[in-house]
Amino acid sequence: MRKTIGILCIIVGFACLLAALSVVIHNNLEDKNAEKVSKIMLQDVQKKIIEHSVIKDSVEPPSDSKKTDKTENTNSIPMDQIEDEHEEAESFDENKSEEESSNENISDESDSEPIRDENIDVLSPQMMTTPINGYDCVGILSIPVLELELPVLTDWSYEKLKISPCLYYGSCYEKDFVIAGHNYRSHFGKLGLLQPNDLVLFTDMYGKVHAYEVVLIETLPANATKEMLTSGFDLSLYTCTMSGTSRTTVRCITKNTH
């Protein structure tokens, strides 16, 4: 009898070990795929930013001090369709409201999904987006100390987070700019290694570089929506912990370049 119980315990333990191993292998494969896809997308975003910077003087992004009404993320503006300054400005304004409901109907699918609150509007005043390989991108996030450079997608979803970090809330032109990323090693898995004064850069699609410095690293519970979105910090980066029950959060302020 004891021998039988012992054999059963060994079998159960072996099965659990195989299950854990399969999860690790699956996560590593997803990580590798995400790294590959985001690198390809990064190259395309960099090319688009170079194209956009040629005419950036004709379409001025809003200044940091100018406040605008709350709006949803803008649609992409195909640059090859812009013939002159007047047509680009009109195209930009006409497409601002076409994605008004993009963040309202996403259901809970995983504990590792970003924090959200349907009662809080997303702020994205006039952030240009550009379609890259079927996904709208809003810019590039760079963290030199982690040797990390990734495109940032708009209109987050759990599936999009498997590709690259996403704009979750706000705008680089105002406070409370929030970017969410998966905890892949090639994405936000090393956020917890950042230290105060570390440099974080965000390059928008106009080619303008917004410099930030880390001031705080904290862990928030998964339901700390207000703390995440109305923190008063200029930029917040966050990812889920391995358990999926809390969020590693990096708070940044605009870096004084003077």
Side-chain angles (χ1 to χ4, degrees), residues 52-220:
H52 295 178
S53 64
V54 174
I55 60 169
K56 66 180 180 180
D57 291 335
S58 65
V59 183
E60 288 295 332
S63 64
D64 294 343
S65 61
K66 181 180 179 180
K67 299 296 180 179
T68 60
D69 294 334
K70 293 183 178 181
T71 59
E72 296 293 342
N73 294 333
T74 60
N75 266 355
S76 58
I77 305 173
M79 299 308 297
D80 57 354
Q81 295 179 13
I82 299 176
E83 298 179 357
D84 55 40
E85 297 177 13
H86 180 68
E87 289 180 357
E88 179 172 0
E90 287 186 343
S91 175
F92 193 86
D93 290 335
E94 288 172 359
N95 285 283
K96 285 199 300 182
S97 61
E98 290 187 6
E99 296 182 2
E100 292 179 346
S101 61
S102 59
N103 291 322
E104 294 180 357
N105 299 319
I106 300 177
S107 60
D108 288 321
E109 294 181 2
S110 169
D111 286 338
S112 61
E113 289 188 28
I115 299 170
R116 60 184 178 278
D117 188 338
E118 295 179 357
N119 296 320
I120 299 179
D121 293 330
V122 174
L123 296 175
S124 298
Q126 299 184 31
M127 287 187 70
M128 175 185 284
T129 64
T130 298
I132 303 292
N133 300 332
Y135 298 94
D136 282 351
C137 294
V138 74
I140 296 173
L141 178 72
S142 304
I143 307 178
V145 71
L146 299 182
E147 297 182 347
L148 196 66
E149 189 171 32
L150 294 163
V152 178
L153 307 182
T154 60
D155 303 329
W156 72 267
S157 70
Y158 187 68
E159 288 303 315
K160 287 181 180 179
L161 288 175
K162 294 181 179 180
I163 297 172
S164 201
C166 299
L167 167 64
Y168 175 58
Y169 180 86
S171 165
C172 60
Y173 306 123
E174 296 193 352
K175 292 182 180 293
D176 291 337
F177 183 28
V178 182
I179 298 176
H182 208 297
N183 61 2
Y184 296 139
R185 286 175 296 179
S186 60
H187 286 183
F188 277 9
K190 297 180 181 180
L191 277 189
L193 299 179
L194 290 175
Q195 298 293 326
N197 300 319
D198 282 343
L199 179 66
V200 178
L201 302 172
F202 178 78
T203 305
D204 63 26
M205 296 307 300
Y206 296 99
K208 180 179 179 180
V209 178
H210 304 259
Y212 304 89
E213 60 179 315
V214 175
V215 293
L216 177 67
I217 300 92
E218 59 182 342
T219 301
L220 297 178

Side-chain angles (χ1 to χ4, degrees), residues 26-72:
H26 174 74
N27 289 341
N28 285 338
L29 289 175
E30 280 198 343
D31 192 343
K32 291 294 184 182
N33 182 67
E35 182 178 15
K36 179 180 178 180
V37 173
S38 61
K39 281 184 176 180
I40 294 173
M41 185 175 290
L42 175 64
Q43 295 174 355
D44 292 334
V45 175
Q46 289 170 333
K47 292 177 182 177
K48 284 294 184 181
I49 287 176
I50 292 174
E51 293 176 13
H52 295 178
S53 64
V54 174
I55 60 169
K56 66 180 180 180
D57 291 335
S58 65
V59 183
E60 288 295 332
S63 64
D64 294 343
S65 61
K66 181 180 179 180
K67 299 296 180 179
T68 60
D69 294 334
K70 293 183 178 181
T71 59
E72 296 293 342

